[in-house]
Amino acid sequence: MSTLLEAEYFFRHGYRDIFYAVGLGPGKLARAAALLRAGARLLTCLDDVALAAQLAAFATAEGVAFRTLIEIDCGEHRAGVAPDGPELLAIARALGGILLA
């Protein structure tokens, strides 16, 4: 899915496994958490250490567990972090205990 509106629509229509395939910005965390609390198996992704820290803080404060992937740039330079870049480990550290798969 590329919008939370799409994710919410498909969840209402019986889909439980949902991949939100764009970075989950801070303004969308509450809606994503609502989907998780309702029973969606929402998978998110990100490629930014500040966003990872915000997501981890939100998850801890709200008591929700986000399943989160770190987006890797596979050579197209559109999004993601370099597979050998320092940002990769920094993002993983920022996610801490919420990095669940």
Side-chain angles (χ1 to χ4, degrees):
M1 308 290 143
S2 61
T3 70
L4 284 177
L5 186 62
E6 291 173 340
E8 292 161 343
Y9 172 87
F10 281 98
F11 181 73
R12 281 192 313 272
H13 289 85
Y15 292 86
R16 297 295 176 256
D17 293 306
I18 299 170
F19 178 37
Y20 184 69
V22 295
L24 186 62
K28 298 177 181 179
L29 296 177
R31 284 177 71 189
L35 279 167
L36 290 168
R37 287 186 182 111
R41 291 182 297 271
L42 182 67
L43 181 62
T44 63
C45 68
L46 51 78
D47 63 358
D48 180 81
V49 69
L51 181 55
Q54 289 174 332
L55 180 65
F58 179 87
T60 299
E62 295 295 319
V64 293
F66 283 86
R67 295 172 48 221
T68 303
L69 303 173
I70 301 171
E71 186 172 1
I72 304 296
D73 177 7
C74 54
E76 297 296 320
H77 309 294
R78 293 178 24 158
V81 297
D84 58 353
E87 303 89 2
L88 180 61
L89 293 178
I91 292 169
R93 280 191 293 275
L95 288 171
I98 69 149
L99 188 67
L100 304 172

